[in-house]
Amino acid sequence: MTLSIVASVITGILGGYFFISESFTQHIDILIDSALYFLIFCVGIDIGLNKHIFKDLKKHSLIILIIPTSIIAGSLIGGLITGYIFHMPKNLSMAISSGFGWYSLSGIILTQLHSAEIGTIAFLTNIFRELITVVSIPFIAKYLNDYTAIAPAGATSMDSTLPIISKYTNPETVVIAFINGILLSGLVPVLVPFFYSI
Amino acid sequence: MQNILISLILGILIGSTVKFSDKMKKFNATFQHLGVILLLFAIGITIGINRSLLGNLKEIGGISLVFAVLTSLFSIILVFFMSRIIIKGRNN
């Protein structure tokens, strides 16, 4: 998966650099829009299919409420500080930081809403966030606590980083991580445009 | 934004009402994978067309790294303290 993702971006960059003229941008925008809506539709189906989530939600209601809320708040604080360092408007830095590690989606949304430059920053930010997650989870689980291992993972705690969380924590944390990932993944397409628009 | 929300809600409604066979679930996963690859290819093109963006890639990489470190760090700090409070509450 990771290899095909990196390969598709690099092929696109090379194609855009060598073969495609700027006048073609409009057509690409249409392609991105339609593919994006389709992708989000598929993600929605995934969320809808997980019916046991509602049962699990009741069981872990307090912690399930607190972990995603803390991740959202922490990401926004980190984003605002970064925005302050690089003299960025607050709405933009909050929109970038509310990708919660989901690089493919937040990069695309911000490319469409703002520019290729901000889209690329969002994309790279979330790629780096996932790398940080992979490297830091073993240490967090060992020196802090299991729940905190979900924090850097953000929206990816339901898919790409779930196996790592599972390896270093316990089954209860895995269920919570999965639900956390679903909630945050559902919020990325809502919060990124929301913060951008304020 | 409106279209994104409509797509998401429509997907959730279909996922929660229609019965999906394992084969259909697999199809859904494959479609997602293909969708991501197509989108990233298209994003790559928009980056490749934009010469000034490629010139700034070093600076953009630096900004992205700071974003990634600080968003992760503050998420870790908040979740750690909040979960400590809950664990303490449970033990009591």
Side-chain angles (χ1 to χ4, degrees):
Chain A
M1 177 77 184
T2 319
L3 196 70
S4 57
I5 278 172
V6 175
S8 54
V9 177
I10 292 174
T11 318
I13 294 176
L14 293 176
Y17 191 80
F18 290 111
F19 303 112
I20 296 166
S21 72
E22 261 185 63
S23 58
F24 202 70
T25 315
Q26 264 185 332
H27 302 287
I28 294 169
D29 284 347
I30 296 170
L31 172 77
I32 293 181
D33 271 346
S34 351
L36 177 61
Y37 301 146
F38 180 70
L39 180 69
I40 292 179
F41 173 72
C42 294
V43 171
I45 290 179
D46 250 355
I47 297 174
L49 281 174
N50 286 292
K51 294 191 182 71
H52 63 90
I53 278 178
F54 299 103
K55 244 187 353 205
D56 290 339
L57 270 175
K58 266 190 203 155
K59 215 166 98 191
H60 301 289
S61 54
L62 187 61
I63 196 91
I64 265 304
L65 204 72
I66 277 166
I67 291 180
T69 315
S70 306
I71 293 176
I72 293 170
S75 302
L76 290 177
I77 294 169
L80 281 171
I81 295 173
T82 313
Y84 182 74
I85 296 171
F86 293 105
H87 310 292
M88 261 183 189
K90 286 190 188 78
N91 68 324
L92 215 53
S93 54
M94 285 197 288
I96 293 169
S97 55
S98 47
F100 311 130
W102 192 359
Y103 46 82
S104 47
L105 191 62
S106 59
I108 294 153
I109 294 176
L110 281 168
T111 300
Q112 290 309 89
L113 288 176
H114 192 277
S115 61
E117 186 174 346
I118 295 299
T120 309
I121 292 178
F123 177 72
L124 288 176
T125 294
N126 292 308
I127 292 246
F128 287 141
R129 183 163 180 171
E130 192 165 305
L131 288 176
I132 291 169
T133 306
V134 172
V135 178
S136 64
I137 281 178
F139 296 98
I140 294 173
K142 191 172 172 190
Y143 296 107
L144 299 175
N145 63 40
D146 284 349
Y147 296 138
T148 311
I150 306 170
T156 68
S157 70
M158 69 179 270
D159 43 50
S160 58
T161 58
L162 188 65
I164 308 161
I165 295 172
S166 161
K167 190 175 170 191
Y168 291 97
T169 66
N170 55 47
E172 189 207 352
T173 310
V174 173
V175 173
I176 294 167
F178 187 78
I179 300 171
N180 171 75
I182 289 203
L183 290 176
L184 287 183
S185 299
L187 283 173
V188 173
V190 180
L191 291 183
V192 174
F194 170 73
F195 285 122
Y196 178 74
S197 69
I198 56 175
Chain B
M1 177 175 176
Q2 215 177 3
N3 293 343
I4 292 178
L5 275 180
I6 293 170
S7 316
L8 184 72
I9 293 167
L10 211 63
I12 294 176
L13 283 178
I14 291 180
S16 53
T17 49
V18 179
K19 210 169 175 208
F20 272 62
S21 66
D22 283 348
K23 208 175 169 187
M24 282 160 80
K25 282 181 195 169
K26 235 183 211 167
F27 266 132
N28 190 41
T30 312
F31 276 140
Q32 277 186 46
H33 188 77
L34 290 176
V36 168
I37 287 183
L38 182 69
L39 280 171
L40 292 179
F41 176 68
I43 277 217
I45 292 176
T46 57
I47 298 171
I49 288 177
N50 197 327
R51 306 271 149 139
S52 61
L53 178 66
L54 284 175
N56 292 335
L57 212 55
K58 213 171 154 185
E59 191 196 331
I60 284 175
I63 297 174
S64 309
L65 190 63
V66 179
F67 259 115
V69 170
L70 293 186
T71 49
S72 307
L73 185 70
F74 281 96
S75 298
I76 292 168
I77 293 172
L78 282 191
V79 174
F80 178 65
F81 283 108
M82 294 309 284
S83 58
R84 277 279 290 267
I85 293 169
I86 292 175
I87 295 167
K88 222 175 169 184
R90 273 186 190 170
N91 291 343
N92 290 341

